[in-house]
Amino acid sequence: MENELFNLLETKNQMIYQIIHLSRCENEWLEVQKISNELSLNERSVQRYIHYLEEVVNEFNVSSKNSVELTYSKFKGLGIESDPGTINDLKTFIISSDVTIKLLVDMCLIRTKPSRQYSEENYISIYSIRKSLDKFDLLLNKFNLSVNRLDLSFSGEEKNIRIFTYIVLWTIYKNDKWPFSYISEEKILRSVDICFEGIGFQATKVHRKQLLFMYAVCLMRNKKKKYIETHENWGEYVNIDILKKDAFIIHEIDNYQVYNENELYFILLVVELQYRMFKSDSMKKRILLFHKEKQTDVFRLTEEVMKSFQEQFFEIPEERKDVFFTYCFCAHLYCKIFPGVEFDINGHNIENVKYFSENLISHLKNFIGNLDFQTDILQEKVFLSKTYASIFSYFKSPNSYDPRIIIGIDSEFPFLVRENLKANLKRKFDHSFNLLVVESESGGEDILITSMPSLYDSHEHVCTINYPLNERDYSFLEAELTKLQDSYNQNTLRQAL
């Protein structure tokens, strides 16, 4: 969601956000010329954005307990000094101060009014509001939502509005102040701890805060009479009758006076579809046994996927079958509860995941298409293929279906240095390429690494090195590997056609 929110920012805020990011990559001064090259700006524009950043930093320092020291010199460039935590606070300040993001946050927190009234009270033109709403359309579409432009609210299924609201507020405020002004953070935190204690789960601070935000979103919208709709299949996924007898559930119902069963179903399902919750043996047993007894489509599909995956790909080690099953189960349940939503529960846009091999994704999509199982869950082919790719790469190299690229080494380096070089190359590139690193003996290698290039004038791909390799060597190798992989993939595609 970070990238999507960044794209909503005004251009000037995008630029200063990127300048801050660039400055964190420099030890001392960030040269104007480098900013110009990285952001494709002329130097005069860079200077204008730096001056704007100075104004923003001054405003931030006034409003924050910590401060950022910004120094600008025409000949040296830009220097920013502060601890990393404060820089994150500055980034949040830039995002939350942006006109478009402010409107989005107000909509998430249900603080908006009819357009004209909101315009007058916030000194924002109707034109600016309409322009911001236009930006929201593409993002909301990824959650099957839209905007009601008359009263500045979200339109769509309540469960999708809640997951969208949670992801947006979590992304912006997870390292910042509590955004829910009329909801007690301490009270909900006690409820979260009671919940975790009730299910026997030892949560980290991050997990506690995530559930804290989700609780707050649900409570906020419920109190504003934004209720969860009835979903007939939810009764198959949550054993509501047994859970309502648990002491910690009874306590929370009475504590918040939320008696609508749909509300209880929703928050329990959100807990249920998160893999980390299955670290609790009692929680895992309770959920999976109920689904098994009910023979839910989610449970039966997970059994079928596990069986078919081992037949088509590889046998899953016995001690890891539990990981495979529960991870798939959570993904299938998520697709059932939030069909068509491109983001996972942690706010990652699954459509934009690029680090898996296209060949692996293609095999997995074919695998999904060939499953002998009737369910609407399998319509989420993109989401599931990326999820299965994560599981695949947990057990084996994600590049197993990419063309094999052989790197040969021929040098006067001692044996152990050559072995060390092989291991380093595998570690560096194994996640991106299907590599075999060998001693160059047969001449059948695709890329040759040598300390004596004069012996290999006719070889197409030669990398001259000294040991140890530096970043320039690695960059050259990566470029050569990428070219070869693209070439092999194109040849494979032509043969298939």
Side-chain angles (χ1 to χ4, degrees), residues 197-356:
E197 184 180 341
I199 63 177
F201 178 69
Q202 187 65 40
T204 67
K205 291 182 178 180
V206 171
H207 297 159
R208 288 170 75 224
K209 193 164 186 178
Q210 284 180 309
L211 194 55
L212 179 70
F213 267 61
M214 181 58 77
Y215 264 24
V217 168
C218 291
L219 186 60
M220 171 189 69
R221 293 194 65 83
N222 179 268
K223 294 304 181 185
K224 291 286 187 177
K225 304 187 185 305
K226 311 289 185 181
Y227 301 125
I228 289 285
E229 308 90 340
T230 299
H231 293 269
E232 57 183 1
N233 60 335
W234 284 8
E236 299 178 7
Y237 301 148
V238 177
N239 193 348
I240 198 80
D241 295 329
I242 295 296
L243 285 168
K244 283 170 68 175
K245 297 176 183 178
D246 282 352
F248 76 94
I249 296 291
I250 294 171
H251 176 273
E252 294 311 299
I253 290 175
D254 292 338
N255 195 21
Y256 294 106
Q257 298 181 339
V258 176
Y259 302 106
N260 187 319
E261 279 194 353
N262 292 336
E263 297 291 331
L264 190 57
Y265 272 125
F266 180 76
I267 194 66
L268 290 171
L269 280 169
V270 168
V271 170
E272 188 173 307
L273 57 78
Q274 297 184 63
Y275 173 76
R276 65 174 176 270
M277 294 298 179
F278 287 78
K279 290 182 179 180
S280 164
D281 289 336
S282 62
M283 178 81 165
K284 178 168 60 179
K285 185 177 180 181
R286 173 184 286 186
I287 294 171
L288 294 182
L289 275 179
F290 183 72
H291 277 261
K292 185 176 182 180
E293 289 171 3
K294 290 287 186 179
Q295 281 295 290
T296 65
D297 53 352
V298 173
F299 188 86
R300 289 184 293 112
L301 174 61
T302 306
E303 287 187 314
E304 179 62 31
V305 166
M306 188 167 182
K307 172 177 170 291
S308 300
F309 188 94
Q310 293 183 94
E311 291 173 352
Q312 181 164 333
F313 295 104
F314 52 82
E315 186 71 22
I316 302 164
E318 193 64 36
E319 66 277 11
R320 288 288 180 266
K321 286 184 176 179
D322 181 61
V323 173
F324 185 101
F325 191 92
T326 52
Y327 200 90
C328 281
F329 176 87
C330 292
H332 296 154
L333 183 59
Y334 188 88
C335 289
K336 187 69 178 184
I337 305 303
F338 300 108
V341 173
E342 296 181 13
F343 288 73
D344 66 16
I345 191 69
N346 296 308
H348 301 131
N349 189 340
I350 204 77
E351 296 271 1
N352 292 340
V353 174
K354 302 295 184 185
Y355 46 78
F356 293 122

Side-chain angles (χ1 to χ4, degrees), residues 20 90 106 121 126-127 161 165 179 193-194 205 220 252 289 369 374 394 453 474 482 485:
I20 293 170
L90 175 60
D106 283 343
E121 292 183 2
I126 289 291
Y127 171 76
I161 294 174
T165 299
D193 289 337
I194 290 171
K205 291 182 178 180
M220 171 189 69
E252 294 311 299
L289 275 179
Q374 297 300 315
Y394 177 75
Y474 283 123
T482 300
Q485 181 167 277

